[in-house]
Amino acid sequence: VQLQASGGGLVQAGGSLRLSCAASGNIFSIKTMGWYRQAPGKQRELVADINSDGITDYEDSVKGRFAISRDNAKNTVYLQMNSLKPEDTAVYYCNAQIRPRGILRGLSEYWGQGTQVTVSS
């Protein structure tokens, strides 16, 4: 199982970016998909996640600015980031809780490779 993230880049404050992360491989089901970020010198933190029923959760500082969504048919999660601020600058990682085919119970956690988001003031 692999997670492939894309969509990062450099944007001015107030701008927008859209991140995508596609899961591929020996997948039976995906429970929760989400995005984390890690800024230099800081711990990795949850930005937003979405479960298989479409229920979402957001870190307080991004509420009203970011929107997470998923396409279950494509095993893909998206993060639309609007009104970006310099403090949003970080490496963004996608995360998924996946049950591989052939595994009767339980979930394994997978991470994407990270994509840099830089917001200039």
Side-chain angles (χ1 to χ4, degrees):
V1 175
Q2 290 185 330
L3 299 183
Q4 181 66 45
S6 61
L10 172 64
V11 65
Q12 288 188 331
S16 299
L17 285 173
R18 188 190 194 212
L19 306 183
S20 300
C21 177
S24 62
N26 190 34
I27 297 170
F28 175 74
S29 63
I30 304 177
K31 183 179 181 182
T32 300
M33 303 185 82
W35 291 94
Y36 288 70
R37 66 185 179 187
Q38 187 167 19
K42 295 187 177 181
Q43 289 189 328
R44 191 174 296 190
E45 64 176 359
L46 175 66
V47 177
D49 63 21
I50 180 169
N51 70 10
S52 55
D53 294 324
I55 297 172
T56 59
D57 187 31
Y58 293 92
E59 194 269 327
D60 285 345
S61 70
V62 307
K63 288 179 180 177
R65 300 188 298 122
F66 291 9
I68 190 169
S69 60
R70 64 190 278 178
D71 184 333
N72 291 328
K74 296 181 179 180
N75 290 335
T76 299
V77 63
Y78 306 95
L79 186 67
Q80 178 66 43
M81 304 185 293
N82 300 324
S83 301
L84 282 161
K85 303 176 180 180
E87 49 264 43
D88 295 318
T89 295
V91 178
Y92 284 69
Y93 298 90
C94 60
N95 172 278
Q97 297 174 344
I98 295 173
R99 178 176 298 173
R101 286 196 185 94
I103 304 299
L104 297 179
R105 64 186 63 179
L107 300 166
S108 296
E109 190 171 40
Y110 295 87
W111 292 90
Q113 80 281 15
T115 184
Q116 177 71 46
V117 171
T118 302
V119 184
S120 63
S121 57

